[in-house]
Every structure is written in C-alpha cells, then in structure tokens.
Amino acid sequence: MATAPLPIKEAIRLARAEGEAAFCERLGFGALVGTPPESGDPGGWSYHTRAIRGAFSRAAPGIDLKQSFVYALEKTQSRFADTLLIGRSESNDVRIDQDSISKLHARIRVTPGGMRITDAGSKNGIHVNYEPLLAEHALADGDTVTLGHFMFQFHLPAELYRMLRAAH
C-alpha cells in the first residue's frame, strides 16, 4: 500500500527533528512536492484572475510552505522491482488521489544513472519542465513534473532535506 503524502509542515518538522540519513530513508528515491489543484479547476486556460496565496521561501523556491504535500518516491509494492508506479489506484507505489490522475498515470524507472519517468498511457498526460512528455525522460533535482492538473517539483532526498531545514 502506498505511503500517505506528508503535509509540508510535517515534512519541515521531520527535516528539523531527524538527521539527514533518517529523513532521506523516509523519502526513498526522492519526492514529488506540490499543492493540490483547486477542486473544480479544469487545469486549462481561464480568463479569471486568481491571486496566488501561500508562504514561499527563498530556501525552497516554488514550494508553498503552507499547502504543499510531499509524496515520497518509495517502493511499496513487490512487483516491478526497479520501477515506481504512480497513479490514483491504491495498488501503486505512489498514490495521488486526484481526479485528473489516471489509475496508473506514470512509471519512474530507477537506474544506476538516475530516475527516468514515462507516461503509462494516462488520459491527461505528463509534462516535464512545461514540455509534453513524449518519451522516457531523465529527472533532475528541481524539475517541474505535471501529472494531469497537478504540478509538482521533483527533488532528490538530500536536496529536499537541505531546503526544508533552511525554510522559514
């Protein structure tokens, strides 16, 4: 069963309370950090103006320190040993319970050279750094990953640890 996402405030508390090794072990291979889209938000163009609210810090650029969630990229299922399954279904390693996320939305393959993301045939697609994902793509720390209408930042465990410890 997938691990529940951590509210960002809890992740900051853990980063400050635990040592780097314990925090990084909790995250597994990395983390997706993002703020859930507003309910009813179609994710497309709108002529409505929305104010961006939140608490941001130079130590954690782009991460809302009040509303974000941290999804640990850890292997929780025994099948596909080198691949993390991401989607809405409880049978995935990383479960994101949001309507625009397919039951099986993405696969992240863990290789000696890093992590590589691919679309698993999702309905609403994947974007990496605002470009549609058309083939397997190597992830780098700080990449923006959009699954359906949910935008995340990908972070390696040690980098996220340092950012959250420094965040105010």
Side-chain angles (χ1 to χ4, degrees):
M1 181 175 237
T3 305
L6 280 174
I8 193 71
K9 288 181 181 182
E10 177 66 8
I12 291 170
R13 188 192 70 71
L14 290 171
R16 291 178 179 160
E18 297 179 348
E20 183 175 355
F23 182 83
C24 291
E25 184 178 322
R26 181 185 297 268
L27 291 182
F29 299 106
L32 293 174
V33 182
T35 304
E38 295 176 20
S39 60
D41 182 6
W45 181 87
S46 172
Y47 61 87
H48 298 283
T49 302
R50 278 186 255 169
I52 297 175
R53 293 190 182 103
F56 297 91
S57 165
R58 280 185 284 221
I63 297 176
D64 183 337
L65 297 176
K66 287 187 177 182
Q67 300 180 52
S68 290
F69 285 88
V70 177
Y71 291 82
L73 297 178
E74 63 179 338
K75 191 72 187 148
T76 60
Q77 307 296 329
S78 60
R79 63 191 196 282
F80 309 114
D82 67 344
T83 303
L84 294 162
L85 303 178
I86 301 173
R88 202 175 66 240
S89 172
E90 289 185 26
S91 64
N92 291 304
D93 297 299
V94 180
R95 181 172 187 251
I96 304 170
D97 191 15
Q98 206 276 328
D99 291 342
S100 71
I101 305 291
S102 296
K103 288 180 183 174
L104 176 58
H105 201 101
R107 292 182 184 93
I108 295 181
R109 198 165 51 90
V110 181
T111 70
M115 300 178 74
R116 304 185 64 79
I117 190 169
T118 188
D119 196 321
S122 67
K123 178 181 174 188
N124 291 314
I126 300 173
H127 288 74
V128 177
N129 297 327
Y130 308 101
E131 296 291 329
L133 182 67
L134 304 175
E136 188 176 70
H137 180 83
L139 289 172
D141 188 74
D143 277 352
T144 299
V145 178
T146 305
L147 305 173
H149 304 316
F150 204 146
M151 186 180 294
F152 297 95
Q153 284 184 0
F154 167 76
H155 288 289
L156 296 170
E159 292 304 317
L160 185 59
Y161 172 80
R162 285 190 265 295
M163 285 175 28
L164 295 181
R165 282 197 47 101
H168 325 83

